């Protein structure tokens, strides 16, 4: 038999997670207004108290709604966090796609590549900063295993577009190595966003600039490692 610690981990893994699904999505104007009010208020409260202290009662009090009005759409706070996470990830994805569509994944010099890379990181940082509760949503994704599925879906969509772009630049690099490189780059980007969200005393521009240089030099040497 395994250790007691291993058995506890196995038992915890088998326990069902919280229900992350919204009960329903409204189609009528009043319902849509209530639905959006709940989410906007949840983001505001989350930014103030953090995900551990966030409760549906706090959201209802702030929004001027009764609990049944909220529970009509969201069974618990985790369903609220899941929808907020999905929207934040979608906003970040759109920032990446807009960057790609603008041709900023291409550069004629190292300096231009760094500038373009820095532009992407600034866009992602701005999206997170401007999204209500953005920093706390990232913390919740990291801390709550069930929410990581939201992040995984976002990651796959972004990776597909980035790999498509990079395959043209690195035709000699194998698919396996290219995908691994893109995964590492993506994780490094989001780790930096989370790091800045966790530590407001960090100089954000400096972190973004150093990360841009790291990524640029990393991909410069990718072809040599094929």
């Amino acid at each position: 038999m395994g250790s007691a610690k291993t058995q506890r981990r196995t038992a915890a893994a088998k326990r069902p997670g919280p229900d992350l699904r919204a009960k329903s999505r409204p189609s009528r104007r009043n319902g849509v207004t209530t639905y959006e009010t709940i989410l906007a208020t949840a983001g505001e409260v989350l930014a103030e108290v953090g995900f551990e202290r966030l409760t549906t009662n706090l959201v209802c009090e702030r929004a001027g709604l009764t609990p049944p009005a909220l529970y009509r759409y969201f069974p618990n706070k985790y369903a609220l966090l899941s929808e907020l996470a999905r929207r934040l990830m979608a906003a970040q994805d759109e920032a990446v796609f807009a960057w790609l569509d603008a041709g900023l994944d291409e550069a004629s010099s190292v300096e231009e590549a760094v500038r373009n890379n820095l532009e992407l990181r600034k866009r992602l940082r701005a999206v997170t900063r401007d999204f209500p509760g953005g920093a706390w949503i990232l913390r919740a994704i990291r801390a709550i295993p069930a929410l990581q599925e939201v992040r995984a879906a976002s990651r796959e969509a972004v990776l597909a577009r980035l790999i498509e772009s990079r395959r043209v630049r690195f035709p000699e690099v194998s698919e396996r190595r290219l995908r691994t490189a893109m995964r590492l780059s993506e994780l490094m980007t989001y780790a930096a966003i989370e790091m800045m969200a966790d530590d407001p005393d960090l100089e954000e521009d400096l972190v973004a600039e150093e990360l841009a240089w790291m990524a640029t030099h990393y991909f410069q040497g990718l072809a040599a490692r094929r």
Side-chain angles (χ1 to χ4, degrees):
M1 291 182 64
S3 67
K5 188 175 183 179
T6 300
Q7 292 177 24
R8 286 196 298 270
R9 286 178 178 173
T10 302
K14 292 180 179 180
R15 286 197 294 268
D19 187 356
L20 302 183
R21 296 169 298 177
K23 288 184 176 179
S24 63
R25 295 184 181 273
S27 56
R28 295 185 178 182
R29 181 179 300 176
N30 288 344
V32 170
T33 299
T34 300
Y35 189 86
E36 295 300 326
T37 296
I38 291 170
L39 288 171
T41 304
E44 294 172 2
V45 175
L46 178 63
E48 295 174 12
V49 305
F51 70 86
E52 291 179 341
R53 294 173 57 196
L54 177 71
T55 66
T56 53
N57 284 339
L58 280 176
V59 175
C60 288
E61 290 172 9
R62 176 71 63 86
L65 297 170
T66 62
L70 184 148
Y71 291 135
R72 179 179 181 182
Y73 302 111
F74 300 98
N76 51 53
K77 76 172 188 178
Y78 297 101
L80 282 170
L81 287 169
S82 178
E83 180 61 17
L84 289 172
R86 187 191 67 77
R87 293 186 177 201
L88 174 57
M89 294 294 100
Q92 290 182 344
D93 293 352
E94 287 302 316
V96 176
F97 299 152
W99 182 83
L100 287 169
D101 292 340
L104 295 177
D105 195 30
E106 301 175 3
S108 57
S109 68
V110 172
E111 290 75 17
E112 183 183 5
V114 171
R115 286 196 301 271
N116 291 350
N117 198 292
L118 184 57
E119 173 64 22
L120 173 60
R121 297 177 197 287
K122 285 183 176 180
R123 291 186 186 192
L124 290 171
R125 186 180 67 190
V127 166
T128 305
R129 183 179 59 242
D130 295 341
F131 197 95
W136 275 107
I137 293 170
L138 292 181
R139 294 186 186 108
I141 291 173
R142 186 171 56 195
I144 303 171
L147 291 180
Q148 291 169 16
E149 294 180 7
V150 178
R151 169 73 175 277
S154 165
R155 180 185 65 210
E156 289 305 312
V158 170
L159 280 177
R161 285 289 306 275
L162 286 172
I163 289 173
E164 180 183 355
S165 175
R166 297 292 168 92
R167 189 180 289 117
V168 175
R169 290 175 52 193
F170 302 102
E172 69 278 21
V173 177
S174 71
E175 180 78 15
R176 186 166 69 98
R177 184 174 293 279
L178 184 59
R179 183 174 180 81
T180 299
M182 294 309 306
R183 282 289 306 276
L184 287 169
S185 178
E186 185 262 352
L187 287 171
M188 189 167 61
T189 296
Y190 284 106
I193 293 173
E194 293 173 357
M195 182 176 72
M196 289 185 286
D198 286 341
D199 188 352
D201 293 330
L202 283 173
E203 189 176 340
E204 293 187 358
D205 287 342
L206 180 59
V207 172
E209 183 177 351
E210 290 304 303
L211 188 59
W213 277 105
M214 288 171 62
T216 299
H217 283 299
Y218 173 71
F219 278 100
Q220 267 197 317
L222 186 62
R225 298 189 296 276
R226 66 181 186 275

